[in-house]
Amino acid sequence: MNKKVYQIMSVIVVFALTFGSFTSASATPQMAATTYYVSTTGNDANAGTSTAPYRTIQKCANVASSGSTCSVAAGTYNERVSVTSVGITFTTSSGLPAVIKGFSISSNGDNTIVQNFVSENNDSNSGAFDVFEGATGVEIRDTVSKNSCMAGIILRGNSNLAEGNEIFKSRQCGGSGPDADGIRVFGDGNVIRGNYVHDISLAENPTAH
């Protein structure tokens, strides 16, 4: 074999052995985190972009993948959102309030973040912001719960966080074990920090804990 050709082939082999792993890794691209948008003027048939937002938060919860964000515009959303996917952040745009019925985060909703929402007059006995048994790493931050059945926040899983929330006027609504609590806690390693719970009346809820 010609010496010059041999040298060129040797360089190619060394290059392939050295950088081949980078080539194979790039052949399997990672799913990019996406921000989806929700607005009271939107439509669930839209693409969920800033110029074509969804109408409901639930639509965003159904579409978003791990690492994605649902950015919700100010307004009233007459819905209770069920979260069954891992690692979605739900937040309000520009820090303005978005009023909802509440959030239910299933045992599959690990690492969900819910922040800056206002829950008013939640009629579900599962509480305004409810984390189910089995969920881990969920964060409920800077929310407001007013006039909620049972409790403002229920933490059932492990290693979840409730921080900076305001809860008031919780009420009994019948059903099994009717209570009127600020925060109900079950599981292990949950952290409750810097919340403001007030104005829950025993006179208005005479058989609550």
Side-chain angles (χ1 to χ4, degrees), residues 81-149:
V81 182
S82 177
V83 182
T84 59
S85 298
V86 172
I88 303 173
T89 295
F90 298 86
T91 188
T92 57
S93 56
S94 305
L96 299 174
V99 180
I100 59 168
K101 288 292 186 183
F103 275 84
S104 293
I105 300 169
S106 79
S107 57
N108 295 323
D110 292 356
N111 303 316
T112 297
I113 299 174
V114 176
Q115 57 187 20
N116 300 329
F117 287 90
V118 176
S119 173
E120 291 186 355
N121 305 315
N122 165 57
D123 292 326
S124 169
N125 255 345
S126 59
F129 301 93
D130 191 1
V131 181
F132 279 75
E133 185 176 357
T136 61
V138 175
E139 299 182 11
I140 309 296
R141 294 177 173 272
D142 304 317
T143 66
V144 176
S145 171
K146 177 182 179 182
N147 291 328
S148 179
C149 284

Side-chain angles (χ1 to χ4, degrees), residues 34-114:
T34 303
T35 297
Y36 298 95
Y37 295 86
V38 182
S39 171
T40 55
T41 61
N43 188 310
D44 281 352
N46 287 344
T49 63
S50 58
T51 55
Y54 297 132
R55 173 60 183 85
T56 65
I57 305 169
Q58 187 63 59
K59 172 67 175 182
C60 191
N62 294 343
V63 170
S65 58
S66 180
S68 295
T69 297
C70 292
S71 178
V72 182
T76 298
Y77 300 83
N78 189 25
E79 58 179 311
R80 183 175 184 85
V81 182
S82 177
V83 182
T84 59
S85 298
V86 172
I88 303 173
T89 295
F90 298 86
T91 188
T92 57
S93 56
S94 305
L96 299 174
V99 180
I100 59 168
K101 288 292 186 183
F103 275 84
S104 293
I105 300 169
S106 79
S107 57
N108 295 323
D110 292 356
N111 303 316
T112 297
I113 299 174
V114 176

